[in-house]
Amino acid sequence: LELFLTKGYKNTTMEDIIANTSLSKGGFYHYYGSTKEILFALMKQGTYGFVDKNVKMSAPLSKEEVCAILANAFIHKILYTSPERKLFLMFASEIPYDQDFEELYLLLEQEAFTMIEKVIAMALPGFHLDRTGSKALFLSKMVNSLVLTQNMFSDQSIFSNARTQLYDLFYKLCEELF
């Protein structure tokens, strides 16, 4: 993580990473075969951590309460700043050039849908997310696009100043999922 953040994904080698661990070269390669595998592991960790920390519901809730929780979680995902957010930029910038990155993105998207669906189903028994429908996919792509934009530029105030508009937008999109 530290090397990716300081050197960038493309400029970090396995030798750089191994030199910063206490493992032997063979021991390290037992766990990871490439910098791509390491970046993928970090992306998975970030996706699972976001859902675990930000999409919490208890049973039963109204659809309105669920929409409010989701809208706030999406806003938090967009506005959250940390050095690790650069990883998402590095990862996303590789998608047009490497099919593996797109495949992992789609896998992470589906796994996030599964995790969120389970949480919502606890609050709204019988809920099933239409994963192939355009509404859930549009919402996912829009949130991730805004995360990219928010973290790409130094002015972090654009979206935080539009928090109310973002909430209204995400709330409305969540209502359409139910």
Side-chain angles (χ1 to χ4, degrees):
L1 174 66
E2 289 176 23
L3 286 169
F4 286 154
L5 293 177
T6 56
K7 293 182 76 171
Y9 167 72
K10 286 188 172 211
N11 297 323
T12 301
T13 66
M14 287 296 281
E15 289 74 26
D16 294 332
I17 296 170
I18 292 167
N20 283 283
T21 71
S22 60
L23 296 172
S24 68
K25 190 172 189 173
F28 193 84
Y29 274 100
H30 175 72
Y31 295 102
Y32 296 103
S34 67
T35 56
K36 183 190 297 188
E37 286 181 23
I38 296 168
L39 181 60
F40 285 9
L42 291 167
M43 291 303 301
K44 285 181 180 184
Q45 179 182 352
T47 298
Y48 303 153
F50 167 77
V51 175
D52 284 342
K53 290 178 186 173
N54 296 293
V55 186
K56 295 182 180 188
M57 300 179 198
S58 58
L61 294 175
S62 67
K63 290 179 182 179
E64 293 79 15
E65 291 169 315
V66 171
C67 287
I69 290 168
L70 290 174
N72 283 316
F74 296 144
I75 290 169
H76 178 74
K77 182 175 182 178
I78 293 164
L79 298 180
Y80 179 76
T81 58
S82 74
E84 293 83 8
R85 279 319 202 43
K86 287 182 180 179
L87 283 178
F88 187 58
L89 295 173
M90 292 176 212
F91 176 80
S93 70
E94 293 298 318
I95 291 173
Y97 309 106
D98 188 330
Q99 180 84 24
D100 292 342
F101 283 82
E102 182 175 6
E103 288 172 10
L104 180 65
Y105 175 88
L106 296 173
L107 174 68
L108 290 174
E109 184 175 62
Q110 287 303 310
E111 289 177 357
F113 284 164
T114 298
M115 294 170 71
I116 292 170
E117 181 180 38
K118 286 179 183 177
V119 173
I120 294 172
M122 290 185 337
L124 296 172
F127 173 78
H128 295 289
L129 185 63
D130 178 8
R131 297 175 192 198
T132 60
S134 61
K135 291 177 184 173
L137 291 173
F138 172 74
L139 182 57
S140 174
K141 300 287 192 265
M142 183 170 45
V143 168
N144 285 322
S145 296
L146 294 176
V147 168
L148 282 170
T149 302
Q150 174 71 358
N151 288 280
M152 192 177 304
F153 300 102
S154 59
D155 183 359
Q156 300 288 305
S157 66
I158 302 297
F159 293 116
S160 60
N161 291 340
R163 187 180 203 104
T164 302
Q165 292 87 350
L166 287 170
Y167 179 87
D168 293 344
L169 175 66
F170 292 133
Y171 187 93
K172 179 72 175 157
L173 290 170
C174 287
E175 277 185 321
E176 293 178 13
L177 290 176
F178 300 113

